[in-house]
Amino acid sequence: MSLEDFLKDIDNLPWTDSELAHQMAERLMERYRGDLPVMVANWLETHPPIATRTAELHSWLLVDSQPWTLKLNQLIPSPVVGKRSENVHNHMRPLTSMTLCGGYRQNYYDTEALLHYKLGDQFAFDDLPCYEGPSTKPGMIYTIHPRIFHALTDFEDGTLTLCLYGPLA
């Protein structure tokens, strides 16, 4: 198996139904789980990625094949907040993530409580009702949707995730 095989399988997902496509993407990642880390490493030898960076995340665009995108993400401690997210956030696109190495913990936030804040309001993480979201370890796969707000609360050094982003919600 190669990453090209995996990419062809992703292309064949029913992207007109994002919910179903991401359910099927989870099963697809499970099928390739043992091979994906090596397949990505081999891919990177011949396909230079495009890099982006935020405070706690380095991201490499591996494939941009509308309507989906495949990225490799590395979590990096921030000099400002350490090993956590700088803020509570959501993602504009649903994404299915597989942890390749390392792992992290995260909280999910009550979106009803967020509706009471206006643009520019300041608040602390501790002000918002939350519950523990999925913690990850190598091989773990899950999907997060745009309606979910979350923040990383801690991560291991060298954490790498492979993320499949679907169409804009």
Side-chain angles (χ1 to χ4, degrees):
M1 285 193 280
S2 69
L3 194 63
E4 288 85 357
D5 296 327
F6 177 69
L7 298 175
K8 285 178 192 169
D9 288 341
I10 291 172
D11 249 346
N12 290 324
L13 295 177
W15 289 109
T16 54
D17 182 343
S18 182
E19 188 84 26
L20 178 61
H22 281 280
Q23 289 172 5
M24 294 174 73
E26 286 186 12
R27 290 193 297 273
L28 183 62
M29 284 183 169
E30 287 170 6
R31 190 173 54 177
Y32 283 89
R33 182 189 331 247
D35 299 316
L36 273 171
V38 171
M39 289 168 28
V40 168
N42 290 341
W43 176 267
L44 289 173
E45 288 178 7
T46 57
H47 298 80
I50 298 168
T52 60
R53 185 182 191 286
T54 63
E56 74 274 355
L57 182 71
H58 285 226
S59 187
W60 292 272
L61 177 63
L62 300 179
V63 179
D64 187 1
S65 178
Q66 295 302 322
W68 57 269
T69 303
L70 188 66
K71 291 184 178 182
L72 179 66
N73 295 323
Q74 180 182 18
L75 300 174
I76 306 286
S78 161
V80 177
V81 295
K83 295 181 180 183
R84 60 180 255 173
S85 296
E86 286 192 339
N87 56 31
V88 175
H89 64 279
N90 69 329
H91 296 270
M92 297 299 291
R93 302 166 70 176
L95 70 96
T96 299
S97 175
M98 177 178 158
T99 301
L100 300 177
C101 60
Y104 57 88
R105 286 176 291 292
Q106 62 184 325
N107 284 339
Y108 281 4
Y109 289 83
D110 178 0
T111 53
E112 291 297 317
L114 290 170
L115 296 175
H116 300 293
Y117 291 95
K118 296 182 279 319
L119 186 62
D121 284 352
Q122 293 186 351
F123 55 88
F125 282 122
D126 299 339
D127 294 340
L128 297 173
C130 67
Y131 56 96
E132 195 170 309
S135 295
T136 73
K137 61 183 181 185
M140 181 170 174
I141 300 163
Y142 76 100
T143 298
I144 189 166
H145 296 280
R147 67 184 173 274
I148 296 174
F149 285 76
H150 74 130
L152 301 185
T153 57
D154 188 36
F155 56 83
E156 295 176 29
D157 288 332
T159 295
L160 286 174
T161 61
L162 185 67
C163 292
L164 175 62
Y165 295 81
L168 283 172

Short mmCIF file of all heavy atoms in Angstrom, two decimals, residues 29-68:
data_model
loop_
_atom_site.label_atom_id
_atom_site.label_comp_id
_atom_site.label_asym_id
_atom_site.label_seq_id
_atom_site.Cartn_x
_atom_site.Cartn_y
_atom_site.Cartn_z
N MET A 29 -9.02 5.39 7.53
CA MET A 29 -7.80 5.59 8.31
C MET A 29 -7.51 4.38 9.19
O MET A 29 -6.35 4.00 9.38
CB MET A 29 -7.88 6.86 9.15
CG MET A 29 -7.69 8.12 8.36
SD MET A 29 -7.72 9.56 9.47
CE MET A 29 -7.17 10.84 8.35
N GLU A 30 -8.56 3.76 9.72
CA GLU A 30 -8.36 2.54 10.53
C GLU A 30 -7.74 1.44 9.68
O GLU A 30 -6.86 0.72 10.14
CB GLU A 30 -9.69 2.07 11.12
CG GLU A 30 -10.18 2.94 12.26
CD GLU A 30 -11.60 2.62 12.70
OE1 GLU A 30 -12.20 1.64 12.19
OE2 GLU A 30 -12.12 3.37 13.54
N ARG A 31 -8.20 1.33 8.43
CA ARG A 31 -7.68 0.29 7.54
C ARG A 31 -6.20 0.51 7.24
O ARG A 31 -5.43 -0.44 7.13
CB ARG A 31 -8.49 0.24 6.26
CG ARG A 31 -8.18 -0.97 5.41
CD ARG A 31 -9.09 -1.10 4.25
NE ARG A 31 -9.07 0.16 3.49
CZ ARG A 31 -9.72 0.35 2.37
NH1 ARG A 31 -10.48 -0.58 1.88
NH2 ARG A 31 -9.63 1.49 1.75
N TYR A 32 -5.79 1.76 7.09
CA TYR A 32 -4.40 2.10 6.76
C TYR A 32 -3.56 2.42 8.00
O TYR A 32 -2.38 2.74 7.87
CB TYR A 32 -4.37 3.33 5.84
CG TYR A 32 -4.73 3.06 4.40
CD1 TYR A 32 -6.05 3.12 3.97
CD2 TYR A 32 -3.75 2.78 3.46
CE1 TYR A 32 -6.39 2.90 2.64
CE2 TYR A 32 -4.07 2.57 2.13
CZ TYR A 32 -5.38 2.63 1.73
OH TYR A 32 -5.71 2.41 0.41
N ARG A 33 -4.15 2.35 9.18
CA ARG A 33 -3.53 2.82 10.43
C ARG A 33 -2.07 2.40 10.59
O ARG A 33 -1.22 3.22 10.87
CB ARG A 33 -4.34 2.34 11.63
CG ARG A 33 -3.80 2.82 12.95
CD ARG A 33 -4.45 2.19 14.18
NE ARG A 33 -5.80 1.78 14.03
CZ ARG A 33 -6.85 2.32 14.65
NH1 ARG A 33 -6.66 3.34 15.46
NH2 ARG A 33 -8.05 1.86 14.48
N GLY A 34 -1.77 1.15 10.43
CA GLY A 34 -0.41 0.67 10.66
C GLY A 34 0.60 1.17 9.64
O GLY A 34 1.80 1.26 9.93
N ASP A 35 0.15 1.52 8.45
CA ASP A 35 1.05 1.92 7.38
C ASP A 35 1.17 3.43 7.19
O ASP A 35 2.12 3.90 6.56
CB ASP A 35 0.57 1.30 6.05
CG ASP A 35 0.56 -0.21 6.09
OD1 ASP A 35 1.54 -0.79 6.60
OD2 ASP A 35 -0.44 -0.81 5.63
N LEU A 36 0.20 4.20 7.68
CA LEU A 36 0.19 5.64 7.40
C LEU A 36 1.45 6.39 7.84
O LEU A 36 1.95 7.22 7.08
CB LEU A 36 -1.05 6.30 7.99
CG LEU A 36 -2.28 6.28 7.08
CD1 LEU A 36 -3.52 6.75 7.83
CD2 LEU A 36 -2.07 7.11 5.83
N PRO A 37 2.01 6.14 9.02
CA PRO A 37 3.22 6.90 9.38
C PRO A 37 4.36 6.72 8.37
O PRO A 37 4.98 7.70 7.96
CB PRO A 37 3.61 6.34 10.76
CG PRO A 37 2.30 5.87 11.33
CD PRO A 37 1.54 5.32 10.14
N VAL A 38 4.61 5.51 7.93
CA VAL A 38 5.68 5.26 6.95
C VAL A 38 5.29 5.81 5.58
O VAL A 38 6.11 6.40 4.87
CB VAL A 38 6.00 3.75 6.87
CG1 VAL A 38 6.94 3.44 5.73
CG2 VAL A 38 6.59 3.28 8.20
N MET A 39 4.01 5.65 5.21
CA MET A 39 3.55 6.16 3.92
C MET A 39 3.72 7.68 3.85
O MET A 39 4.15 8.21 2.82
CB MET A 39 2.10 5.77 3.68
CG MET A 39 1.94 4.28 3.40
SD MET A 39 0.24 3.61 3.45
CE MET A 39 -0.82 4.92 3.01
N VAL A 40 3.40 8.40 4.93
CA VAL A 40 3.56 9.85 4.96
C VAL A 40 5.05 10.22 4.88
O VAL A 40 5.44 11.13 4.13
CB VAL A 40 2.89 10.47 6.21
CG1 VAL A 40 3.29 11.93 6.40
CG2 VAL A 40 1.38 10.34 6.11
N ALA A 41 5.89 9.52 5.64
CA ALA A 41 7.34 9.79 5.60
C ALA A 41 7.88 9.60 4.18
O ALA A 41 8.65 10.42 3.69
CB ALA A 41 8.07 8.90 6.59
N ASN A 42 7.47 8.52 3.52
CA ASN A 42 7.93 8.27 2.15
C ASN A 42 7.42 9.35 1.20
O ASN A 42 8.14 9.80 0.30
CB ASN A 42 7.47 6.90 1.66
CG ASN A 42 8.19 5.77 2.38
OD1 ASN A 42 9.25 5.97 2.97
ND2 ASN A 42 7.59 4.60 2.37
N TRP A 43 6.18 9.78 1.37
CA TRP A 43 5.58 10.82 0.54
C TRP A 43 6.38 12.12 0.65
O TRP A 43 6.64 12.81 -0.33
CB TRP A 43 4.13 11.03 0.97
CG TRP A 43 3.39 12.13 0.28
CD1 TRP A 43 3.27 13.42 0.70
CD2 TRP A 43 2.66 12.05 -0.94
NE1 TRP A 43 2.50 14.14 -0.17
CE2 TRP A 43 2.11 13.32 -1.19
CE3 TRP A 43 2.40 11.02 -1.85
CZ2 TRP A 43 1.34 13.60 -2.30
CZ3 TRP A 43 1.62 11.30 -2.95
CH2 TRP A 43 1.10 12.57 -3.18
N LEU A 44 6.77 12.47 1.88
CA LEU A 44 7.49 13.72 2.12
C LEU A 44 8.87 13.75 1.45
O LEU A 44 9.38 14.83 1.16
CB LEU A 44 7.63 13.98 3.62
CG LEU A 44 6.33 14.34 4.34
CD1 LEU A 44 6.55 14.38 5.85
CD2 LEU A 44 5.77 15.65 3.83
N GLU A 45 9.44 12.59 1.19
CA GLU A 45 10.74 12.54 0.52
C GLU A 45 10.66 13.07 -0.92
O GLU A 45 11.64 13.58 -1.44
CB GLU A 45 11.29 11.11 0.52
CG GLU A 45 11.74 10.65 1.88
CD GLU A 45 12.24 9.22 1.88
OE1 GLU A 45 12.37 8.61 0.79
OE2 GLU A 45 12.52 8.71 2.98
N THR A 46 9.50 12.94 -1.55
CA THR A 46 9.38 13.33 -2.96
C THR A 46 8.35 14.43 -3.21
O THR A 46 8.21 14.89 -4.34
CB THR A 46 9.01 12.10 -3.83
OG1 THR A 46 7.80 11.53 -3.33
CG2 THR A 46 10.13 11.08 -3.81
N HIS A 47 7.61 14.81 -2.20
CA HIS A 47 6.57 15.84 -2.35
C HIS A 47 6.78 16.91 -1.28
O HIS A 47 6.24 16.79 -0.18
CB HIS A 47 5.17 15.23 -2.18
CG HIS A 47 4.83 14.21 -3.20
ND1 HIS A 47 5.27 12.90 -3.14
CD2 HIS A 47 4.11 14.31 -4.34
CE1 HIS A 47 4.82 12.24 -4.18
NE2 HIS A 47 4.11 13.06 -4.92
N PRO A 48 7.53 17.96 -1.59
CA PRO A 48 7.75 18.99 -0.57
C PRO A 48 6.44 19.66 -0.18
O PRO A 48 5.70 20.13 -1.05
CB PRO A 48 8.70 19.99 -1.24
CG PRO A 48 8.88 19.53 -2.63
CD PRO A 48 8.18 18.24 -2.83
N PRO A 49 6.11 19.69 1.11
CA PRO A 49 4.84 20.27 1.55
C PRO A 49 4.93 21.79 1.66
O PRO A 49 6.02 22.36 1.72
CB PRO A 49 4.62 19.64 2.92
CG PRO A 49 6.01 19.41 3.42
CD PRO A 49 6.85 19.08 2.20
N ILE A 50 3.78 22.43 1.73
CA ILE A 50 3.68 23.86 2.00
C ILE A 50 3.45 24.01 3.50
O ILE A 50 2.55 23.38 4.06
CB ILE A 50 2.50 24.48 1.22
CG1 ILE A 50 2.74 24.30 -0.28
CG2 ILE A 50 2.31 25.94 1.59
CD1 ILE A 50 1.53 24.62 -1.13
N ALA A 51 4.27 24.82 4.15
CA ALA A 51 4.19 24.95 5.62
C ALA A 51 3.45 26.20 6.04
O ALA A 51 3.53 27.24 5.39
CB ALA A 51 5.60 24.97 6.21
N THR A 52 2.69 26.07 7.14
CA THR A 52 2.07 27.22 7.81
C THR A 52 2.35 27.07 9.30
O THR A 52 2.74 26.00 9.76
CB THR A 52 0.54 27.27 7.58
OG1 THR A 52 -0.04 26.08 8.11
CG2 THR A 52 0.20 27.40 6.11
N ARG A 53 2.14 28.15 10.06
CA ARG A 53 2.45 28.07 11.49
C ARG A 53 1.51 28.97 12.28
O ARG A 53 1.19 30.07 11.87
CB ARG A 53 3.88 28.53 11.75
CG ARG A 53 4.31 28.35 13.19
CD ARG A 53 5.72 28.85 13.40
NE ARG A 53 6.24 28.47 14.69
CZ ARG A 53 5.88 29.00 15.84
NH1 ARG A 53 4.96 29.92 15.89
NH2 ARG A 53 6.42 28.59 16.96
N THR A 54 1.05 28.46 13.42
CA THR A 54 0.39 29.28 14.43
C THR A 54 1.22 29.12 15.70
O THR A 54 2.26 28.44 15.69
CB THR A 54 -1.07 28.84 14.68
OG1 THR A 54 -1.05 27.51 15.20
CG2 THR A 54 -1.89 28.90 13.41
N ALA A 55 0.77 29.68 16.79
CA ALA A 55 1.55 29.65 18.02
C ALA A 55 1.87 28.23 18.48
O ALA A 55 2.98 27.95 18.89
CB ALA A 55 0.83 30.41 19.13
N GLU A 56 0.89 27.33 18.40
CA GLU A 56 1.13 25.98 18.92
C GLU A 56 1.09 24.91 17.84
O GLU A 56 1.16 23.73 18.13
CB GLU A 56 0.13 25.63 20.03
CG GLU A 56 -1.28 25.34 19.57
CD GLU A 56 -2.17 26.55 19.42
OE1 GLU A 56 -1.77 27.67 19.75
OE2 GLU A 56 -3.29 26.38 18.95
N LEU A 57 1.01 25.32 16.58
CA LEU A 57 0.83 24.33 15.52
C LEU A 57 1.66 24.66 14.29
O LEU A 57 1.59 25.77 13.77
CB LEU A 57 -0.66 24.28 15.12
CG LEU A 57 -1.05 23.27 14.06
CD1 LEU A 57 -0.98 21.86 14.61
CD2 LEU A 57 -2.45 23.56 13.56
N HIS A 58 2.47 23.70 13.87
CA HIS A 58 3.12 23.77 12.57
C HIS A 58 2.32 22.83 11.68
O HIS A 58 2.03 21.70 12.07
CB HIS A 58 4.56 23.30 12.65
CG HIS A 58 5.47 24.28 13.29
ND1 HIS A 58 6.69 24.60 12.77
CD2 HIS A 58 5.35 25.02 14.41
CE1 HIS A 58 7.29 25.48 13.53
NE2 HIS A 58 6.50 25.75 14.54
N SER A 59 1.96 23.27 10.50
CA SER A 59 1.12 22.48 9.62
C SER A 59 1.74 22.41 8.23
O SER A 59 2.22 23.42 7.71
CB SER A 59 -0.27 23.13 9.55
OG SER A 59 -1.15 22.32 8.85
N TRP A 60 1.75 21.22 7.66
CA TRP A 60 2.27 21.02 6.31
C TRP A 60 1.14 20.51 5.43
O TRP A 60 0.56 19.46 5.70
CB TRP A 60 3.42 20.02 6.31
CG TRP A 60 4.62 20.54 7.01
CD1 TRP A 60 5.63 21.28 6.46
CD2 TRP A 60 4.96 20.36 8.39
NE1 TRP A 60 6.56 21.58 7.43
CE2 TRP A 60 6.18 21.03 8.61
CE3 TRP A 60 4.34 19.73 9.46
CZ2 TRP A 60 6.79 21.07 9.86
CZ3 TRP A 60 4.94 19.76 10.69
CH2 TRP A 60 6.16 20.42 10.88
N LEU A 61 0.84 21.27 4.39
CA LEU A 61 -0.17 20.87 3.43
C LEU A 61 0.42 19.77 2.55
O LEU A 61 1.39 20.00 1.84
CB LEU A 61 -0.59 22.07 2.57
CG LEU A 61 -1.60 21.79 1.47
CD1 LEU A 61 -2.92 21.31 2.05
CD2 LEU A 61 -1.81 23.05 0.64
N LEU A 62 -0.14 18.58 2.64
CA LEU A 62 0.35 17.45 1.83
C LEU A 62 -0.37 17.39 0.50
O LEU A 62 0.26 17.21 -0.54
CB LEU A 62 0.17 16.14 2.60
CG LEU A 62 0.88 16.02 3.94
CD1 LEU A 62 0.59 14.68 4.58
CD2 LEU A 62 2.38 16.24 3.79
N VAL A 63 -1.69 17.52 0.54
CA VAL A 63 -2.49 17.43 -0.68
C VAL A 63 -3.67 18.38 -0.56
O VAL A 63 -4.36 18.39 0.46
CB VAL A 63 -3.03 15.99 -0.91
CG1 VAL A 63 -3.87 15.92 -2.18
CG2 VAL A 63 -1.89 14.99 -0.98
N ASP A 64 -3.91 19.16 -1.61
CA ASP A 64 -5.09 20.03 -1.67
C ASP A 64 -5.86 19.60 -2.90
O ASP A 64 -5.52 19.98 -4.01
CB ASP A 64 -4.69 21.49 -1.75
CG ASP A 64 -5.88 22.42 -1.65
OD1 ASP A 64 -7.01 21.93 -1.49
OD2 ASP A 64 -5.67 23.64 -1.71
N SER A 65 -6.85 18.75 -2.70
CA SER A 65 -7.62 18.18 -3.80
C SER A 65 -9.09 18.45 -3.53
O SER A 65 -9.78 17.63 -2.96
CB SER A 65 -7.35 16.68 -3.90
OG SER A 65 -8.10 16.10 -4.92
N GLN A 66 -9.54 19.63 -3.92
CA GLN A 66 -10.91 20.03 -3.61
C GLN A 66 -11.89 18.90 -3.87
O GLN A 66 -11.77 18.23 -4.87
CB GLN A 66 -11.29 21.27 -4.41
CG GLN A 66 -10.47 22.49 -4.04
CD GLN A 66 -10.60 22.84 -2.58
OE1 GLN A 66 -11.66 22.73 -1.99
NE2 GLN A 66 -9.50 23.26 -1.97
N PRO A 67 -12.80 18.61 -2.94
CA PRO A 67 -13.18 19.43 -1.80
C PRO A 67 -12.46 19.08 -0.49
O PRO A 67 -12.87 19.53 0.56
CB PRO A 67 -14.67 19.16 -1.68
CG PRO A 67 -14.79 17.72 -2.05
CD PRO A 67 -13.75 17.51 -3.14
N TRP A 68 -11.41 18.27 -0.54
CA TRP A 68 -10.74 17.87 0.69
C TRP A 68 -9.27 18.28 0.66
O TRP A 68 -8.70 18.53 -0.39
CB TRP A 68 -10.88 16.37 0.95
CG TRP A 68 -10.35 15.51 -0.17
CD1 TRP A 68 -11.06 15.04 -1.24
CD2 TRP A 68 -9.02 15.03 -0.35
NE1 TRP A 68 -10.25 14.31 -2.08
CE2 TRP A 68 -8.98 14.29 -1.54
CE3 TRP A 68 -7.84 15.17 0.38
CZ2 TRP A 68 -7.83 13.67 -2.03
CZ3 TRP A 68 -6.69 14.56 -0.10
CH2 TRP A 68 -6.70 13.82 -1.28
#
